[in-house]
Amino acid sequence: MDFQSHFRSSLEALKDEGNYRIFAELERRCGAFPKVDFHNNGGKSEVTVWCSNDYLGMGQHPDVVAAMCDTVQACGTGAGGTRNISGTNHCHVELEAELADLHRKEAALLFTSGYVSNWASLSTLGSKIPNAVILSDSENHASMIEGIRHSRADKVIWKHNDVEDLDRKLSAVGDRPKIVAFESVYSMDGDIAPLKEIIEVCEKHGALSYLDEVHAVGMYGPRGGGISEREGVAHRIDLIEGTLGKAYGCVGGYITGTAAMCDFIRSFASGFIFTTALPPAVAAAAKTSIAHLKTSSVEREAQAQQVAKMRAALDRAGIPHMANDSHIIPVMIGDPVKCRTISDILMESYGIYVQPINYPTVPKGTERLRITPGPLHSDADIEHLVSSLSELWAQCALAHAVA
């Protein structure tokens, strides 16, 4: 086989479909977010980022930056290896205690990313619980899907956020051990799961509830515990999974739950046992960010205000966006080439960075720009984005009319 020819032809097919991914070369400047430097063809220009998952700008919060710098000076850079080989750093222990407290659980366990925490935990639960079946929401993240697949447990897909369908399918499973995996805030549509109803169905059938809160931790609830904290149901959920790489502005993932369950996953999950641990400085910075957002609502309130202003401005301009109750604003395009083109023009001509979201991240025909306003976006930033989109919308409408 001519491997290189296969690689090239596959990439060309992606480009022809409009689904080839291009990564913008950006340089974050501490204290300037959401302004960043865009490096392109040897030049550099300033652009405003509108699609970051650093939702609250905590990646550049002075206390978080100081915690990381101080810990590097005290402990050095890396962790030295896996926790099994090199030991558990004191910063890891402190961060896990902070996370357990955040979700009012007995214990927590750190992973190198939110993807790995989902993959490792679901694959371990599905493979190590005899005769288990995992019921997965149809819109679950790729990390959950891969974890379930790797577990080789039987899988049942239930309709997105459809509690009645979940109830029917749990009944059909019978007396087998059941794990129900779902998210709180779904990242592409921004919709929020009916947690209370889902939990009631899980309890009715004796199913273990597995909740992914990655797009909600830090963002919702009086202490940033996510939708489950806001709705007052965290104590009824068996496992809450989250990330340190979004609202907390760092990197890493985690699970929380009973001490026995966290120890079970720690002891059997290859994705934990054989992976180099997070650097102590990252753990210290994340702990600082979590502790800050437990007591400060300033960032969440400011972000909610800017999200509301953005939605209102898009409505006034007649730009279609998907309605939801979260901080995620999908502006619907519906065509991969147009989505890529609009993104490129915004970057090159208006100094605006918003990444196009195409297949396979979203179904074909639902291509979109995913906008995430934050507390550090100014009213002038919002006005500039909406007026720029309006100009492009008018040009697209004119081109369509001529065609």
Side-chain angles (χ1 to χ4, degrees):
M1 180 180 184
D2 185 344
F3 291 103
Q4 302 308 314
S5 176
H6 175 71
F7 299 152
R8 287 191 293 268
S9 63
S10 297
L11 291 171
E12 286 304 318
L14 271 182
K15 292 176 182 178
D16 291 342
E17 296 166 1
N19 292 322
Y20 180 73
R21 298 171 188 265
I22 299 171
F23 299 155
E25 184 180 346
L26 305 178
E27 182 179 0
R28 286 160 65 100
R29 304 196 311 268
C30 193
F33 189 77
K35 310 295 182 183
V36 302
D37 288 332
F38 171 46
H39 294 263
N40 188 34
N41 296 323
K44 184 171 72 172
S45 60
E46 183 180 81
V47 300
T48 302
V49 176
W50 279 102
C51 51
S52 175
N53 285 344
D54 186 359
Y55 293 130
L56 301 177
M58 292 300 293
Q60 303 193 22
H61 190 284
D63 293 347
V64 177
V65 172
M68 182 173 284
C69 292
D70 291 347
T71 308
V72 166
Q73 292 296 328
C75 300
T77 53
T82 68
R83 290 168 69 169
N84 180 54
I85 297 296
S86 297
T88 288
N89 189 278
H90 182 59
C91 292
H92 298 144
V93 175
E94 290 189 321
L95 176 54
E96 286 176 341
E98 193 77 51
L99 288 164
D101 174 77
L102 174 67
H103 296 294
R104 306 297 194 193
K105 299 296 185 185
E106 291 179 358
L109 186 66
L110 286 173
F111 293 85
T112 51
S113 73
Y115 190 103
V116 173
S117 58
N118 267 333
W119 177 86
S121 299
L122 282 167
S123 65
T124 301
L125 292 170
S127 63
K128 296 298 181 181
I129 296 176
N131 201 33
V133 59
I134 302 177
L135 294 96
S136 177
D137 185 285
S138 63
E139 298 300 314
N140 275 344
H141 189 262
S143 58
M144 303 175 80
I145 295 169
E146 286 299 317
I148 296 167
R149 180 181 295 131
H150 186 75
S151 77
R152 298 186 179 180
D154 288 341
K155 176 178 68 172
V156 175
I157 305 298
W158 51 288
K159 295 177 184 177
H160 179 52
N161 284 342
D162 189 329
V163 178
E164 292 182 357
D165 188 53
L166 174 61
D167 189 21
R168 286 191 297 270
K169 288 177 175 173
L170 280 167
S171 295
V173 169
D175 293 333
R176 296 174 62 183
K178 297 172 281 291
I179 301 165
V180 176
F182 54 103
E183 302 180 40
S184 57
V185 177
Y186 287 83
S187 62
M188 289 300 112
D189 289 352
D191 55 331
I192 297 175
L195 294 192
K196 290 181 181 179
E197 292 83 356
I198 292 173
I199 294 163
E200 287 172 358
V201 172
C202 289
E203 292 171 343
K204 171 184 173 182
H205 294 275
L208 185 147
S209 50
Y210 184 112
L211 173 64
D212 176 322
E213 284 263 40
V214 296
H215 290 278
V217 290
M219 304 289 294
Y220 301 95
R223 303 192 314 150
I227 300 298
S228 58
E229 182 189 44
R230 188 186 74 177
E231 301 299 316
V233 295
H235 65 289
R236 297 169 63 186
I237 299 171
D238 294 301
L239 187 153
I240 297 177
E241 183 267 352
T243 184
L244 307 172
K246 293 182 171 60
Y248 293 125
C250 296
V251 66
Y254 66 88
I255 61 167
T256 64
T258 65
M261 181 171 62
C262 289
D263 195 16
F264 177 84
I265 293 172
R266 180 193 71 88
S267 299
F268 290 106
S270 62
F272 174 84
I273 296 168
F274 300 107
T275 300
T276 298
L278 289 174
V282 170
K287 177 181 179 293
T288 300
S289 183
I290 295 164
H292 174 84
L293 290 173
K294 280 180 178 177
T295 60
S296 173
S297 61
V298 172
E299 294 82 4
R300 288 188 284 273
E301 291 171 357
Q303 197 239 17
Q305 290 175 357
Q306 297 310 88
V307 169
K309 289 177 182 177
M310 173 62 76
R311 290 189 187 279
L314 290 171
D315 287 339
R316 288 194 297 271
I319 296 173
H321 59 98
M322 189 176 292
N324 60 55
D325 294 323
S326 77
H327 56 284
I328 296 167
I329 305 177
V331 172
M332 307 308 292
I333 308 297
D335 178 271
V337 175
K338 287 181 181 178
C339 199
R340 174 83 259 174
T341 300
I342 290 172
S343 173
D344 289 344
I345 295 172
L346 285 172
M347 180 78 98
E348 295 164 5
S349 300
Y350 297 93
I352 291 168
Y353 174 59
V354 54
Q355 180 72 359
I357 307 295
N358 291 346
Y359 178 83
T361 305
V362 295
K364 291 181 179 180
T366 69
E367 293 81 8
R368 67 199 64 183
L369 302 175
R370 177 181 176 275
I371 298 173
T372 55
L376 301 179
H377 286 107
S378 68
D379 291 354
D381 291 333
I382 293 174
E383 181 180 353
H384 178 55
L385 173 59
V386 175
S387 64
S388 302
L389 278 173
S390 296
E391 290 181 22
L392 294 180
W393 234 255
Q395 293 172 20
C396 288
L398 178 61
H400 181 74
V402 171

